[in-house]
Amino acid sequence: MKILILCTGNSCRSQMAHGFLQSFCPDIEVFSAGIKPTERVNQMAIEVMKEAGIDISGHEPHNVSEYLDASWDYVITVCGGAKENCPAFSGMVKHRRHFGFDDPSTADLLDLQQTMGEFRRVRDEIKARFYSFYLTGLCGKECS
């Protein structure tokens, strides 16, 4: 099973989804990429995932162009920008899904505590949505 998770910058939401989905089943091949990838994964995303017991500190943003010729069981967009600007894949894509989440990196908040709270809220939404997807769509197909 091969899954590609797309976001605009590949620095927050797609990286968190990648980390969670991989943690649910190590046998699933999970990749993430951005339409306009940033230079590095957002440090606050790394921190809130660490709080959840998942280390994404070794992840790096990738450009979706690296994956256009591959075949995918699922291509999942996690933001409106990626959904609207998703390029055409020349490889086979069996299923496309969109699970939209707010971008915590653009939250206009006053202090670090509020900003981290927004990252935690989005992290928890991502975990719940991808766990539901895993249970209903993938469970038993790759992992026992």
Side-chain angles (χ1 to χ4, degrees):
M1 178 80 54
K2 279 180 62 177
I3 299 172
L4 177 62
I5 304 168
L6 294 178
C7 198
T8 301
N10 192 216
S11 68
C12 292
R13 295 164 287 182
S14 54
Q15 294 289 353
M16 288 191 275
H18 180 165
F20 278 125
L21 194 53
Q22 196 72 73
S23 77
F24 301 150
C25 180
D27 295 332
I28 299 171
E29 292 182 77
V30 182
F31 301 83
S32 62
I35 305 299
K36 296 177 185 175
T38 61
E39 290 184 29
R40 65 186 58 87
V41 176
N42 186 295
Q43 188 60 42
M44 289 185 190
I46 292 170
E47 290 302 316
V48 299
M49 289 299 286
K50 184 177 179 180
E51 292 172 2
I54 297 172
D55 182 8
I56 62 168
S57 63
H59 288 202
E60 295 180 2
H62 292 271
N63 193 303
V64 67
S65 64
E66 297 175 39
Y67 303 112
L68 294 177
D69 295 331
S71 293
W72 301 98
D73 293 294
Y74 289 91
V75 172
I76 303 169
T77 53
V78 293
C79 70
K83 181 182 178 189
E84 294 166 12
N85 298 299
C86 190
F89 284 78
S90 54
M92 185 178 76
V93 176
K94 291 181 184 175
H95 308 281
R96 292 179 186 265
R97 299 285 187 271
H98 176 70
F99 307 147
F101 302 98
D102 294 334
D103 185 353
S105 70
T106 62
D108 188 18
L109 302 172
L110 300 176
D111 64 27
L112 179 61
Q113 185 176 2
Q114 288 178 315
T115 303
M116 288 298 285
E118 184 66 4
F119 269 84
R120 289 181 187 107
R121 180 187 69 79
V122 172
R123 173 204 62 199
D124 294 347
E125 289 177 4
I126 290 170
K127 180 181 181 180
R129 182 63 186 99
F130 274 85
Y131 192 64
S132 175
F133 168 71
Y134 167 69
L135 288 178
T136 59
L138 302 176
C139 194
K141 294 181 181 169
E142 289 295 319
C143 291
S144 52

